[in-house]
Amino acid sequence: MSYGGIEAGGTKWVCAIGTGPDELRDVVTFPTTTPEETIGRAAEFFSQNGKVAALGIGSFGPVDLHRGLITTTPKPGWANTDVVGALRDALEVPVVFDTDVNAAAVGEQRWGAALGLDTFCYITVGTGIGGGVMAGNELVHGLVHPEIGHMLIRHDRERDPFDGVCPFHGDCFEGLASGGAVRARWGKPGEELGGDPRVWELEAQYLAHGVVNVVCATSPELVILGGGVMKQLSLLPLVRKHVDALLAGYVTAPPIVSPALGDRAGVLGAIELAHRAVA
Amino acid sequence: MSYGGIEAGGTKWVCAIGTGPDELRDVVTFPTTTPEETIGRAAEFFSQNGKVAALGIGSFGPVDLHRGLITTTPKPGWANTDVVGALRDALEVPVVFDTDVNAAAVGEQRWGAALGLDTFCYITVGTGIGGGVMAGNELVHGLVHPEIGHMLIRHDRERDPFDGVCPFHGDCFEGLASGGAVRARWGKPGEELGGDPRVWELEAQYLAHGVVNVVCATSPELVILGGGVMKQLSLLPLVRKHVDALLAGYVTAPPIVSPALGDRAGVLGAIELAHRAVA
């Protein structure tokens, strides 16, 4: 029995069929254009590659998980898109819908860094910052779903006068520490900034503040830090150092690690969501 | 069948036997003195008032929930106290041990403000600040348990040069916004500060920052704000106003309410923990 998975990003969609990292057939990636075209390509891909038992989707957001919608995204044409309905109608299989980061958390739990854990966080630091939270072996959904990128963190404007890039909150966690913030603050993207210690020391401090607040709010056994910004390899040890300093021994710092599945965590997690839905 | 509950505070213990708010027998309150004397009084109370099917304890912390210990408390004599072992030996019934705020969350879910909800937070703003988190109908435990009071929040030292009272972090959430912080900042406890708008406007802003971070991290359907500081009735509407302003419409603010069980949430929640353990 095979399962379908979609990592539905704002830039590209990754679709795959399989049962896990060692049995992943027919991976396809295409750009996110209009909803009709993008969802149509996904439907076509799954139709042409043999029956799947269920389909899991890890989506960019914000999403309405109850109704299966992408909601108030600024991405042109995508606001209030009924992704689940369209794919359920096309494929006639059960469709599970969650956030991209929740899907990645599930992938890491099933095959990656969080194997065997039931309470942990997956944080991705890319163009934006998102976070998936697993607690007691269940993804945290609640009123909507966690929006870790929009926590408010400390911002010393004397040291860093940058206003932040979040259109809603300015200098929230994402506004100060996302890849978009790095690019806007320093005038070029992180991958072109080399090992400049000013850049990564400041970035590590902001990431540590975000991690500390997640640790205090959810007491994870592990924090996974993924996303493009974390490809700067000097960053993870710096984040760990600052987390330890900020927690000051009162709260125990959990291990802070990279995703074991790398860029495949999302689509593999989507496959596992599908599996769990019908298992 | 009756259950026993203990709200084991750092100042006083409340012990009760019953099945709920309308059937609560034999409530007793006594000061927290030495571990031997305090645990002994609790054991004696339950021994003398008829058999309970199980005992629930909501304890001051920090606690080790796996081992049933109060751990690194600065309270003299109480570090590494085996509360669970002592009471299990004395009473020979199942004993469930959790944090005081987790117990209060359970009480509010069973009989109070969070009736029917499965993902919400209970935050108490008293001498310190603590928080219990329920997600997917399970208390969040994780590596240890949430320590919401030790999240880092924004602190504008030009407006509020106060250093904070947390011995570990100085100006963390608890360091800036607890009842202890109010007393230290203004020179007298909150209940003697009347309606001074400077006091409560600043307090509401700090509380709103903490609530916003909890909302972004755990997406609760409801936030319950209890504890002595919240007895200043002007505070709750101010907190709601600032939470809405800070979230700026991107993340939906959940309802923010007072505990429906008031000061009984802890001991009732402890009784419900006992009930759930053997139900």
Side-chain angles (χ1 to χ4, degrees):
Chain A
M1 193 67 87
S2 282
Y3 305 96
I6 302 177
E7 183 184 343
T11 308
K12 65 178 189 327
W13 280 32
V14 183
C15 301
I17 299 174
T19 56
D22 299 327
E23 204 284 292
L24 200 59
R25 291 186 283 122
D26 309 314
V27 184
V28 68
T29 301
F30 45 82
T32 313
T33 57
T34 64
E36 294 68 28
E37 186 177 45
T38 313
I39 294 171
R41 288 187 73 167
E44 196 185 329
F45 166 77
F46 289 109
S47 305
Q48 291 178 349
N49 285 283
K51 187 77 179 169
V52 294
L55 174 66
I57 306 170
S59 177
F60 74 103
V63 296
D64 181 330
L65 297 175
H66 305 293
R67 297 192 297 153
L69 305 179
I70 292 171
T71 57
T72 56
T73 176
K75 191 168 173 65
W78 281 85
N80 300 310
T81 297
D82 181 5
V83 179
V84 171
L87 286 162
R88 190 183 285 138
D89 290 349
L91 302 176
E92 298 180 325
V93 294
V95 177
V96 194
F97 187 64
D98 215 312
T99 62
D100 44 9
V101 281
N102 269 345
V106 167
E108 289 290 332
Q109 185 190 36
R110 178 68 179 80
W111 295 292
L115 203 67
L117 300 183
D118 71 6
T119 300
F120 66 96
C121 298
Y122 177 99
I123 301 175
T124 180
V125 190
T127 311
I129 294 182
V133 179
M134 183 82 70
N137 208 31
E138 297 285 340
L139 291 167
V140 174
H141 290 130
L143 187 64
V144 191
H145 48 76
E147 283 281 2
I148 280 173
H150 298 277
M151 292 187 304
L152 301 171
I153 61 169
R154 289 181 178 175
H155 179 199
D156 177 352
R157 284 182 183 268
E158 280 189 36
R159 180 175 176 204
D160 175 29
F162 180 63
D163 284 332
V165 296
C166 175
F168 290 88
H169 313 114
D171 60 349
C172 63
F173 185 30
E174 173 170 303
L176 289 173
S178 63
V182 170
R183 175 195 282 258
R185 181 187 291 108
W186 303 101
K188 46 188 174 179
E191 55 269 34
E192 294 174 24
L193 288 163
D196 184 339
R198 290 176 310 157
V199 173
W200 303 115
E201 181 66 25
L202 185 69
E203 179 68 8
Q205 289 186 27
Y206 287 139
L207 292 176
H209 272 82
V211 169
V212 160
N213 286 351
V214 169
V215 166
C216 289
T218 69
S219 194
E221 297 167 288
L222 178 80
V223 173
I224 303 172
L225 278 182
V229 171
M230 297 309 298
K231 295 193 171 161
Q232 172 63 35
L233 295 179
S234 64
L235 204 44
L236 191 60
L238 282 176
V239 173
R240 290 188 186 121
K241 183 188 79 171
H242 286 293
V243 167
D244 281 340
L246 290 169
L247 288 174
Y250 180 74
V251 176
T252 307
I256 304 171
V257 302
S258 300
L261 304 177
D263 297 337
R264 284 280 160 93
V267 75
L268 285 168
I271 284 174
E272 176 65 8
L273 281 173
H275 177 204
R276 292 185 186 182
V278 295
Chain B
M1 190 71 87
S2 281
Y3 305 96
I6 302 177
E7 183 184 342
T11 308
K12 65 178 185 336
W13 280 32
V14 183
C15 301
I17 299 174
T19 57
D22 299 327
E23 204 283 293
L24 201 59
R25 290 186 285 121
D26 308 314
V27 185
V28 68
T29 300
F30 46 82
T32 313
T33 57
T34 64
E36 295 68 28
E37 185 178 45
T38 312
I39 294 171
R41 287 187 73 166
E44 195 186 328
F45 165 77
F46 289 109
S47 305
Q48 291 178 347
N49 285 282
K51 186 80 177 167
V52 294
L55 174 67
I57 307 170
S59 176
F60 73 104
V63 295
D64 181 330
L65 297 176
H66 305 293
R67 297 193 295 154
L69 304 181
I70 292 170
T71 56
T72 57
T73 175
K75 192 170 172 67
W78 281 85
N80 299 309
T81 297
D82 181 4
V83 178
V84 170
L87 284 163
R88 190 184 285 138
D89 290 349
L91 302 176
E92 298 181 324
V93 295
V95 177
V96 193
F97 186 64
D98 215 313
T99 63
D100 44 8
V101 281
N102 269 344
V106 167
E108 289 290 331
Q109 184 190 36
R110 179 68 180 80
W111 296 291
L115 202 67
L117 300 183
D118 71 6
T119 300
F120 66 95
C121 298
Y122 178 99
I123 302 175
T124 180
V125 190
T127 311
I129 293 182
V133 179
M134 182 83 69
N137 209 31
E138 297 284 341
L139 291 168
V140 173
H141 290 132
L143 188 63
V144 191
H145 49 74
E147 284 281 3
I148 280 173
H150 298 277
M151 292 188 304
L152 300 171
I153 61 169
R154 289 183 177 173
H155 180 198
D156 178 352
R157 285 182 182 267
E158 281 191 34
R159 181 175 176 202
D160 176 29
F162 180 63
D163 284 333
V165 294
C166 174
F168 291 87
H169 313 112
D171 60 350
C172 64
F173 185 29
E174 174 170 302
L176 289 174
S178 62
V182 171
R183 176 195 283 260
R185 182 187 290 109
W186 303 101
K188 44 189 174 177
E191 56 268 33
E192 292 173 25
L193 288 162
D196 186 337
R198 291 175 311 159
V199 173
W200 304 113
E201 181 65 26
L202 184 69
E203 178 68 9
Q205 289 186 28
Y206 287 137
L207 292 177
H209 272 82
V211 168
V212 160
N213 285 351
V214 169
V215 166
C216 289
T218 68
S219 193
E221 298 166 288
L222 178 79
V223 173
I224 303 171
L225 278 182
V229 171
M230 297 309 298
K231 295 194 171 158
Q232 172 64 34
L233 296 179
S234 64
L235 203 46
L236 190 60
L238 282 174
V239 173
R240 289 188 186 123
K241 183 187 78 170
H242 285 294
V243 166
D244 282 339
L246 291 168
L247 288 173
Y250 181 74
V251 176
T252 307
I256 305 171
V257 302
S258 300
L261 303 178
D263 296 338
R264 285 279 161 93
V267 74
L268 285 168
I271 283 175
E272 177 64 8
L273 281 172
H275 176 205
R276 291 184 186 182
V278 294

